[in-house]
Amino acid sequence: MIRTSPGVVWFDQIGMEDVGSVGGKNASLGEMVRKLTQSGVRVPAGFATTADAYREFMADNGIEPAMQERIGCYQSGRIALEQAGIEIRELILSARLPDRLARDICAAYDQLAGRVGVKDPSVAVRSSATAEDLPDASFAGQQETFLNIRGHRALLDACLNCFASLFTDRAISYREAKGFDHFSVALSIGIQQMVRSDLAGSGVIFTIDTETGFPHVAVISAAWGLGETVVQGSVDPDKYVVFKPLLATEGACPIIEKTCGAKAVRMIYAHGGGKNTRIVATRQSQRSRFVLNEAEIVELAHWALLVEKHYGRPMDLEWAKDGESGLIYLVQARPETVQSGRSGAAFRTYRLKTKAQPILAGAAVGGAIASGKACILREAADIARFPDGAILVTGNTDPDWVPVMKRAAGIVTDHGGSTSHAAIVSRELGVPAVIGTGHATALLKEGQPITLSSAGGEQGFVYDGLLDFESEEIDPGSLPATRTQVMVNIAEPASAFQWWRLPARGVGLARMEFIINTLIKVHPMALLHPERTGAADRRKIHELIKDHADGADYFVDLLSRGIARLAAPYYPHPAIVRLSDFKTNEYAHLIGGSAFEPCEENPMLGFRGASRYYHERYREGFALECRALKRVRDVIGFANVIIMVPFCRTPAEADLVLAAMADNGLRRGERGLQIYMMCEIPSNVVLATEFAGRFDGFSIGSNDLTQLVLGVDRDSEFLAALFDERDEAVKIMIGDVIAKAHAAGIKIGICGQGPSDHADFAEFLVEQGIDSISLNPDSFAKAVRTIAQAEAGEG
């Protein structure tokens, strides 16, 4: 480190080897300036005071003995944390910065003005403790940041306040919890050119999925204005998820999620009145607009990947966009300390034992379930009345809430996103949370028994009452290897990352209708022809598609990103995506669906699967499905997606479907495209050789095949005892089609429920030489052991 003066050093003169002198935050800024700017990463210019300068300040003013006395009183229980914090901060604020340090800070500030070409430039004054941003402790938000500081006097005042913030109540509490000595920690101050994000936007990036630890995505949050609203959780931000392995693929735009947040407020510069920033309502036109365009999202993801590779670990970054220049900057980088600190092997899963209707939904944090009585707190000043083990319900949290968050069984907030303070601290504390429910503090009653679940994917839910739940630890590292390709069935994009640690060799079944039902919610023909729907449905459609060019764009965008998310966890292993297989009664339940669906006596055997794709009633809707799949493969970049045709009754029908797909840009063999067929109708078995000439593989749908071989309605409670995939007639059909597929030289697997439920059925499939078995994730570990035993028995 080359010092500008005894107390001040520029960012371009420091790096990670200087944490002890300038703290983790400033050392990391210097590291990026020195090592990553040549790769295109932009970091605003600035300088830092040193830890020695802080120690000189303490020595010159002689206040440390009095501060130690207050800490001792707090630790012995003679005074409360709040009183200790106030008295220590008053000691610091009544002290003076040493004259030499004040001169050095002002001189460096004037040099910064010369570098950026602005008289009295606006700067951010950030605290950087020498014990923060370490691999095992983030110290997120424990000290203060002061924004939009201009001029010598304001700058020196902000620096003194930074020193005082080393002893905020939350910082004292956090160091106590982590076992750090309060007086071995020093504070460096970072003075950094302000990016005019008040005129544009800002946010946070994690280079790992913060809920599941899935390492191959960058998760970006974005809101209008200064970034404090995102960090504090006072705004519901946009969310963008980028699949990192495809960033190097030429021409790919691997954004697998784009969610437009409400962004109701924004923080901007204040002028006069003694405040440097203020919160204002976001303009209506901005609320429905994304903060970043796709090129900017991909640029940030590239930077995140560069930073992660440089540091050799997952990172937590802050970014800001300058509204004057249009340029984006990284303004902070620290290690991600929660998921990256957990074991890469064993993980615990949670499941509610009973079905229930949620009363609230929000972003899931923590991947667990908790229950207890709701304690509604609107101000941090009220935390003294919080009982240990209750569920904390509040608007949003800031670092002042950490002491009570540690004592909560779970946390529910009105506002915030997955990168808000409440989310970050909940993860670090291991407390499950549901963030950004909108109106939890209004809906829930004080003392109301509730259960919250963040165990089902991205979305978390709150239920009325104390519900029973169970948990299980899975150690993927203990599972045996198998000759049979073992894959997983994944239903919803929201839960796709939850199972990434399983040693699956791909996704054997991703059902398109689950994405349509949970994400899109509207019948595709209603999106194309809303004029044929009723007034109420038209209003719903208008509201849903308001962030898109039209209904078709809405459908293709959401479906393609949903499919991409399902294809990501096991990339580059195959992800087999089944074309929509709603029955007419199920399609009719979608918004606008009743205007386009006939009423059938037996929908299970009616207008479903392949028969829809080339029919005039649905041809336009099928074209949207094809557009989405083509976008997944050719634009987003997931060439591992295999398309599967369900319920294809005859070879002639197969020809019609393949022709319709080719007309929509999905031609078998082009750009490596493989097309499979579900084998679930007796005709598929009888004519397997003819079907095999048209498809690249088969996947046995044991549910429908059993139903049609035995003539048993699989949904009938009266015939449940007769429905069994292990019936001899069904097994003969399965053995026959496996043999025919192999004779024709194509792959064959199974994606039905049978092998997940019945160990002996899985053994039978292995004996028949099936190529792949796709299992439900929660039965994966048990079934893999059964498959391995069956293979060993063959030997």
Side-chain angles (χ1 to χ4, degrees):
M1 178 177 70
I2 305 169
R3 296 193 178 191
T4 301
S5 70
V8 171
V9 61
W10 287 91
F11 287 160
D12 57 12
Q13 298 170 334
I14 55 178
M16 290 311 296
E17 66 275 12
D18 299 308
V19 170
S21 181
V22 294
K25 190 176 298 176
N26 288 334
S28 190
L29 284 167
E31 184 78 8
M32 289 195 296
V33 168
R34 286 172 54 197
K35 304 290 180 61
L36 295 175
T37 51
Q38 63 266 36
S39 299
V41 177
R42 285 185 290 274
V43 181
F47 59 93
T49 66
T50 64
D52 287 345
Y54 170 80
R55 295 186 180 101
E56 181 184 347
F57 161 78
M58 296 290 286
D60 276 12
N61 288 279
I63 56 175
E64 186 168 315
M67 293 166 63
Q68 288 177 326
E69 188 267 332
R70 303 305 194 279
I71 288 291
C73 288
Y74 159 62
Q75 291 172 331
S76 65
R78 285 177 284 164
I79 61 174
L81 170 62
E82 185 178 10
Q83 182 182 345
I86 288 172
E87 293 180 1
I88 291 172
R89 292 191 297 275
E90 284 177 349
L91 285 167
I92 296 173
L93 292 172
S94 62
R96 279 174 50 86
L97 293 176
D99 290 341
R100 183 174 61 180
L101 176 60
R103 284 195 303 271
D104 290 344
I105 290 171
C106 291
Y109 176 74
D110 292 340
Q111 289 180 47
L112 179 64
R115 288 191 182 193
V116 302
V118 176
K119 187 180 187 318
D120 287 343
S122 177
V123 293
V125 180
R126 304 181 187 276
S127 307
S128 179
T130 56
E132 73 178 356
D133 295 346
L134 302 177
D136 60 345
S138 72
F139 284 76
Q142 300 307 311
Q143 284 83 45
E144 300 287 359
T145 292
F146 301 92
L147 303 176
N148 191 28
I149 303 299
R150 290 176 182 270
H152 290 179
R153 180 63 177 271
L155 176 58
L156 295 177
D157 285 346
C159 288
L160 193 59
N161 276 282
C162 273
F163 281 165
S165 77
L166 188 58
F167 287 89
T168 59
D169 296 355
R170 57 188 179 262
I172 296 170
S173 176
Y174 194 90
R175 287 193 295 270
E176 288 282 319
K178 290 290 183 180
F180 284 89
D181 174 27
H182 298 282
F183 297 96
S184 65
V185 177
L187 192 117
S188 165
I189 302 167
I191 293 95
Q192 186 178 32
Q193 176 194 1
M194 278 288 290
V195 176
R196 289 303 305 269
S197 58
D198 61 309
L199 303 177
S202 51
V204 175
I205 312 172
F206 283 95
T207 68
I208 189 173
D209 181 58
T210 51
E211 291 316 304
T212 65
F214 181 49
H216 300 310
V217 289
V219 182
I220 303 171
S221 297
W224 300 111
L226 305 175
E228 296 303 295
T229 57
V230 177
V231 176
Q232 293 167 1
S234 57
V235 69
D236 301 317
D238 291 348
K239 179 181 178 183
Y240 319 118
V241 180
V242 183
F243 188 63
K244 293 185 297 189
L246 290 176
L247 283 169
T249 302
E250 187 176 353
C253 182
I255 303 170
I256 63 176
E257 182 183 336
K258 272 179 69 178
T259 302
C260 190
K263 306 183 293 290
V265 298
R266 59 196 173 104
M267 180 181 284
I268 61 173
Y269 286 3
H271 301 285
K275 289 189 174 181
N276 298 310
T277 61
R278 61 192 179 101
I279 300 287
V280 299
T282 304
R283 291 191 296 272
Q284 197 63 44
S285 61
Q286 290 179 308
R287 296 184 189 187
S288 59
R289 275 172 41 214
F290 288 108
V291 174
L292 297 176
N293 61 40
E294 294 197 347
E296 291 168 334
I297 294 167
V298 170
E299 180 180 42
L300 276 176
H302 272 293
W303 288 2
L305 190 58
L306 285 170
V307 174
E308 181 179 55
K309 285 182 176 177
H310 178 75
Y311 283 86
R313 59 174 300 115
M315 298 294 290
D316 167 5
L317 314 172
E318 292 183 25
W319 63 270
K321 180 179 178 180
D322 192 297
E324 294 179 332
S325 67
L327 297 176
I328 296 176
Y329 295 83
L330 291 185
V331 296
Q332 279 195 42
R334 62 175 72 88
E336 193 278 338
T337 59
V338 179
Q339 288 294 347
S340 55
R342 292 178 179 166
S343 166
F347 64 103
R348 183 164 290 277
T349 64
Y350 291 77
R351 186 177 69 86
L352 287 172
K353 295 173 74 172
T354 56
K355 286 191 174 181
Q357 188 67 30
I359 55 176
L360 288 166
V365 171
I369 298 174
S371 59
K373 291 183 178 180
C375 180
I376 302 169
L377 301 181
R378 290 181 169 82
E379 304 289 340
D382 297 330
I383 64 177
R385 69 175 180 84
F386 184 84
D388 288 356
I391 305 291
L392 172 63
V393 181
T394 188
N396 59 275
T397 70
D398 61 33
D400 290 324
W401 290 80
V402 172
V404 72
M405 295 171 77
K406 291 192 297 187
R407 295 160 46 213
I411 297 167
V412 182
T413 72
D414 291 338
H415 306 295
S418 60
T419 56
S420 65
H421 174 270
I424 292 169
V425 174
S426 295
R427 286 185 202 102
E428 189 162 328
L429 297 175
V431 178
V434 179
I435 304 296
T437 62
H439 56 285
T441 54
L443 179 69
L444 299 176
K445 303 292 188 291
E446 183 71 24
Q448 178 180 349
I450 58 173
T451 299
L452 68 87
S453 173
S454 60
E458 279 197 319
Q459 195 168 33
F461 300 101
V462 179
Y463 302 88
D464 187 28
L466 306 178
L467 306 183
D468 286 338
F469 62 91
E470 60 187 6
S471 69
E472 176 192 10
E473 184 164 278
I474 299 174
D475 183 1
S478 69
L479 298 178
T482 61
R483 182 186 70 249
T484 307
Q485 184 178 4
V486 185
M487 307 170 83
V488 290
N489 302 327
I490 300 182
E492 296 182 18
S495 60
F497 297 167
Q498 183 178 353
W499 305 101
W500 71 271
R501 288 184 176 88
L502 293 177
R505 286 147 70 185
V507 177
L509 177 62
R511 300 175 178 90
M512 189 180 284
E513 62 269 17
F514 273 74
I515 304 172
I516 296 172
N517 195 47
T518 58
L519 288 183
I520 297 171
K521 300 182 174 66
V522 187
H523 194 292
M525 295 297 289
L527 289 167
L528 292 168
H529 299 287
E531 72 281 359
R532 299 186 198 172
T533 67
D537 283 345
R538 283 199 299 275
R539 285 193 296 272
K540 291 177 185 175
I541 292 169
H542 176 75
E543 179 62 25
L544 284 169
I545 71 171
K546 67 180 186 297
D547 301 330
H548 292 78
D550 52 31
D553 178 64
Y554 168 80
F555 184 91
V556 172
D557 183 50
L558 268 65
L559 182 57
S560 61
R561 296 193 201 281
I563 293 169
R565 193 178 176 92
L566 292 172
Y570 305 106
Y571 178 87
H573 292 300
I576 303 172
V577 179
R578 190 176 73 184
L579 294 164
S580 65
D581 192 24
F582 281 122
K583 289 76 177 174
T584 51
N585 60 324
E586 296 168 338
Y587 257 129
H589 288 140
L590 294 170
I591 296 170
S594 59
F596 299 93
E597 295 300 324
C599 184
E600 296 184 298
E601 289 294 328
N602 191 349
M604 189 73 78
L605 294 179
F607 188 47
R608 61 174 286 199
S611 62
R612 300 181 68 94
Y613 308 149
Y614 55 88
H615 196 284
E616 285 302 320
R617 293 186 73 109
Y618 191 69
R619 187 191 300 272
E620 292 175 278
F622 183 62
L624 295 183
E625 295 185 27
C626 292
R627 277 178 56 189
L629 283 161
K630 186 170 175 58
R631 189 171 184 275
V632 170
R633 288 177 50 85
D634 297 349
V635 178
I636 301 178
F638 285 97
N640 63 320
V641 166
I642 295 171
I643 302 171
M644 186 155 64
V645 179
F647 225 77
C648 186
R649 293 170 168 97
T650 68
E653 184 167 68
D655 292 336
L656 290 170
V657 171
L658 291 169
M661 293 177 70
D663 288 344
N664 286 291
L666 295 174
R667 189 179 300 277
R668 181 185 170 206
E670 240 177 46
R671 298 172 64 93
L673 174 62
Q674 294 185 59
I675 302 177
Y676 282 18
M677 184 191 78
M678 286 285 288
C679 181
E680 54 191 340
I681 305 171
S683 64
N684 299 151
V685 178
V686 175
L687 300 176
T689 302
E690 291 187 47
F691 282 111
R694 292 162 166 83
F695 294 99
D696 298 289
F698 293 156
S699 185
I700 299 167
S702 58
N703 293 344
D704 268 335
L705 186 61
T706 301
Q707 173 176 243
L708 296 172
V709 169
L710 299 180
V712 173
D713 181 352
R714 73 190 202 195
D715 294 330
S716 172
E717 59 190 279
F718 306 109
L719 302 177
L722 292 173
F723 187 91
D724 191 343
E725 299 94 330
R726 298 167 295 175
D727 185 276
E728 194 62 27
V730 179
K731 290 167 69 176
I732 288 171
M733 296 288 275
I734 289 174
D736 188 25
V737 77
I738 292 173
K740 287 178 176 177
H742 287 162
I746 68 169
K747 290 184 176 181
I748 183 165
I750 186 167
C751 59
Q753 186 76 18
S756 294
D757 291 344
H758 308 296
D760 56 341
F761 188 58
E763 291 171 1
F764 160 75
L765 293 168
V766 170
E767 291 166 5
Q768 297 301 308
I770 200 158
D771 296 309
S772 65
I773 297 176
S774 194
L775 304 160
N776 296 332
D778 56 2
S779 61
F780 187 93
K782 181 179 177 183
V784 163
R785 293 188 180 97
T786 299
I787 292 166
Q789 289 171 0
E791 290 176 353
E794 287 181 336

